[in-house]
Amino acid sequence: MTRDEALVQGLVRLGDNTLIIGHRVSEWCGHSPVLEEDIALANIALDMIGQTQLWLGLAGEIEGAGRDADTLAFHRDAWDFRNLLLCEMPNGDFGRTMMRQFLFDAWHSIYLGRLLKSSDARVAAIAEKASKEVAYHLERSADTVVALGDGTPESHDRMQAALDYLYPYVGEMFLSDEGDAVLAEAGIAPDPASLREEYDALVGRVLDKATLSVPENRYAQKGGRTGTMHTEHLGHLLAQMQWLQRAYPDATW
Amino acid sequence: MNNEWPLWEVFIRGQHGMSHRHVGSLHAPDAAMAIKNARDVYTRRNEGVSIWVVEANHISASSPSDKGPLYEPSESKVYRHPTFYDIPDEVGAM
């Protein structure tokens, strides 16, 4: 795998993460428990869609096959997506959405922190912009996880159930493959496996405050970032997200 | 039991503003969340550089029915306005 191939794959992974979880969060628009959360979630979704444009835009540019961010987002099928499985998991209740967001934000903030020092200036510049947004996402999702985990007996039970349900999707964040090795060697992106300790410390601190217990089983569901096997949920999400561009290719408004 | 979060009044100092202005209100469980919610509800379009929130029930307001005794006496006191003075440029914004 050449350096450019590895870089395109790495950028598509980043862009697909933010695209898919951003779309998931946007599904709350108009349905949140309170107006303030509705607007906050819409803002976070828009931040992530904005980051997607930058990551996928750069991926398309380096790939040089004439695909831009929109083409990559709307004209690929499920097996071509490279997002973490965690990002495509359904929203569930509000608590589960916030738990998913927290587990993702914690990883996202650490990963972007490393990308700030990327040897590729284009990557570092996008990380610089995104990391400010993500610092706020993390602050917000962590606070909500603590408030609900350490809240009423019902909110505590729901948050523990959400953590138990989502935790098997955490391990995939730290799997490394050939492409990751090429990027790490070139100083473009960190080796995912090297981030686990920092992640466990950050997540552990917050979950401890939230009076939630981290499941002991470290079994990791995988197949999202390699594209070998997505969950059944991704296809339904794409059908919703892509139908207009599929029915009316290149429609603009 | 009251399940509603308390109401907070939001004040924002804008990019070029010298002081905080009341921009609206929102609900939040505590002050820290009220600031976060204010950030999301009222500064989406780059409006602010500083946010204040205060729980609405901590604001004491004058009564509209007292408007006569409170405000009318000042109507006839034109000499209280500084319009008869030239303000030197070096004083800056007042």
Side-chain angles (χ1 to χ4, degrees), chain A residues 92-110:
Chain A
D93 61 16
F94 177 73
R96 194 200 279 174
T97 293
M98 294 313 291
M99 180 60 78
R100 184 189 62 204
Q101 194 61 33
F102 168 64
L103 294 172
F104 178 76
D105 290 341
W107 172 82
H108 203 196
S109 69
I110 294 170

Side-chain angles (χ1 to χ4, degrees), chain A residues 151-172:
Chain A
T152 65
E154 172 158 6
S155 71
H156 173 88
D157 292 350
R158 285 188 186 225
M159 293 312 275
Q160 186 64 54
L163 179 59
D164 294 346
Y165 178 77
L166 294 171
Y167 203 71
Y169 299 94
V170 165
E172 190 187 13

